[in-house]
Amino acid sequence: MEIRQLKTFMSIVKLGNFSQAAHYLGYTQSTVTTHIQLLEKELNTLLFERFGHQLMLTTDGERLYEYAEQITRLAEDAKNELEHFDTPRGPIIIGMPESLCVYYLTDLLKEYTALYPDVELKLIFGISSDFRNLLRRNMMDLAFILEETSKDADLVSTLLWPEPIAMIVSPDHKLVKAGKAELKDLHGETLLFVESGSTYRSALETGLAKAAVHPRTVMEICHIQTIKQFVCANLGITVLPKVAVKEELAAGTLVALQCPGITFKTNTYLVYHKDKWLSHGIRAFLKLVQERLLK
């Protein structure tokens, strides 16, 4: 059942015959006849009956007319709404590492929700590999990722800024005097990480494997705040974006060490799938990121 068939049906009812409806709609009379035949075939009923030269609706035709009015009116309302209403609304799902949300994006998210209260923001914390999978399955609209490079052919990536990464220890840790940590110095140490898959964790684990260095244990902790508290208590060593420990480094409750054997080269990108339909809400978010984070 098509909207144009219903409009043809309604025009016949209003104008009284097929030929006038065809002239009014700009169709041939055979097209109008076909529209009605298709409707009758789909609904398995007759819509019109003739008494001499008079065309009359059947009982089923009368019932369909009531629905046809509602359906065509709703279709026109939807068309007008979407053509003329450009205020962002509806849900947007954004993926981001916890560190970026807390330390970079809080003000931007606050401004966006104030500007566009009809948009329902849903934030998902995680890692870049998970975000890529969700973007490709159209289960996520946008994602902030931490990678050295972002060259996926099916993703549109915007470089936002370089993200400094550091090895972090307690000021009471034995490596603080040296001011740096060689890979061999991590043998037998406890390492505290966010979930597996982060680029900086992978870089360190790859370096340790090549150097045949074995930590005493690796603890996986999903919250950065908990990791920082554990490191402050000298329960282990971690690797985090510097922005996540900015305050603690300034206060001296945590210390950043150089790690000559590892290059933690990481950048922040905003990505979305190349085939993604960009709604008004998504375009507004991209515009705000451009204005606020790419000055």
Side-chain angles (χ1 to χ4, degrees):
M1 187 186 301
E2 298 181 3
I3 297 293
R4 61 177 181 165
Q5 295 170 356
L6 294 176
K7 288 183 176 180
T8 297
F9 167 69
M10 293 175 63
S11 296
I12 295 171
V13 175
K14 292 175 181 177
L15 297 172
N17 60 61
F18 280 52
S19 60
Q20 288 190 43
H23 179 74
Y24 173 75
L25 295 170
Y27 295 149
T28 63
Q29 189 161 336
S30 62
T31 299
V32 169
T33 300
T34 300
H35 283 185
I36 299 305
Q37 289 174 343
L38 290 171
L39 275 176
E40 290 179 332
K41 182 179 180 181
E42 182 169 354
L43 298 172
N44 194 29
T45 190
L46 286 176
L47 299 175
F48 295 100
E49 57 183 343
R50 289 186 179 275
F51 284 88
H53 296 292
Q54 188 176 8
L55 188 68
M56 299 182 64
L57 282 173
T58 63
T59 302
D60 285 346
E62 291 176 353
R63 293 169 62 192
L64 177 63
Y65 188 83
E66 295 177 8
Y67 285 108
E69 280 191 315
Q70 296 177 50
I71 292 169
T72 54
R73 184 171 60 251
L74 284 171
E76 287 299 320
D77 289 346
K79 182 180 178 182
N80 291 333
E81 181 82 1
L82 295 176
E83 283 183 346
H84 302 106
F85 190 87
D86 58 1
T87 300
R89 59 170 56 185
I92 298 179
I93 301 174
I94 304 175
M96 59 184 67
E98 181 189 358
S99 58
L100 293 187
C101 179
V102 174
Y103 302 105
Y104 284 116
L105 302 177
T106 302
D107 290 342
L108 182 134
L109 294 171
K110 180 179 179 181
E111 182 177 3
Y112 183 85
T113 54
L115 288 171
Y116 309 112
D118 293 329
V119 174
E120 305 160 30
L121 281 182
K122 180 179 180 180
L123 306 182
I124 297 178
F125 294 156
I127 56 176
S128 301
S129 57
D130 292 341
F131 296 159
R132 284 188 175 89
N133 291 333
L134 292 171
L135 290 170
R136 287 171 177 141
R137 292 160 59 192
N138 200 28
M139 297 177 67
M140 179 175 285
D141 300 309
L142 303 167
F144 292 87
I145 65 173
L146 292 173
E147 297 281 0
E148 182 176 350
T149 59
S150 180
K151 297 180 179 179
D152 300 86
D154 58 342
L155 300 179
V156 178
S157 302
T158 300
L159 174 62
L160 299 180
W161 58 77
E163 191 64 56
I165 306 294
M167 183 169 289
I168 306 299
V169 297
S170 163
D172 298 325
H173 198 280
K174 62 184 179 181
L175 293 175
V176 170
K177 279 189 177 181
K180 62 180 181 179
E182 303 284 352
L183 287 176
K184 61 181 177 60
D185 295 328
L186 301 181
H187 186 80
E189 292 286 343
T190 296
L191 301 182
L192 309 175
F193 287 128
V194 292
E195 63 266 31
S196 60
S198 66
T199 54
Y200 44 89
R201 172 177 174 172
S202 297
L204 180 57
E205 289 180 328
T206 299
L208 292 174
K210 288 181 178 178
V213 172
H214 304 286
R216 182 171 70 89
T217 186
V218 173
M219 297 177 63
E220 193 169 288
I221 301 170
C222 59
H223 295 296
I224 290 177
Q225 191 61 38
T226 303
I227 291 176
K228 292 194 294 184
Q229 290 175 351
F230 279 25
V231 176
C232 282
N234 204 15
L235 294 177
I237 298 172
T238 190
V239 177
L240 288 173
K242 276 190 175 180
V243 66
V245 290
K246 182 179 178 181
E247 293 182 2
E248 290 82 1
L249 293 178
T253 55
L254 290 175
V255 177
L257 299 180
Q258 295 181 8
C259 190
I262 299 291
T263 300
F264 297 114
K265 187 176 182 182
T266 304
N267 297 295
T268 299
Y269 294 87
L270 177 59
V271 301
Y272 58 89
H273 197 275
K274 65 181 181 63
D275 297 328
K276 180 66 184 178
W277 175 69
L278 301 181
S279 66
H280 294 303
I282 294 174
R283 290 201 298 268
F285 188 86
L286 292 172
K287 183 174 183 290
L288 195 63
V289 169
Q290 181 78 23
E291 293 172 351
R292 299 292 181 266
L293 301 181
L294 292 178
K295 294 181 180 178

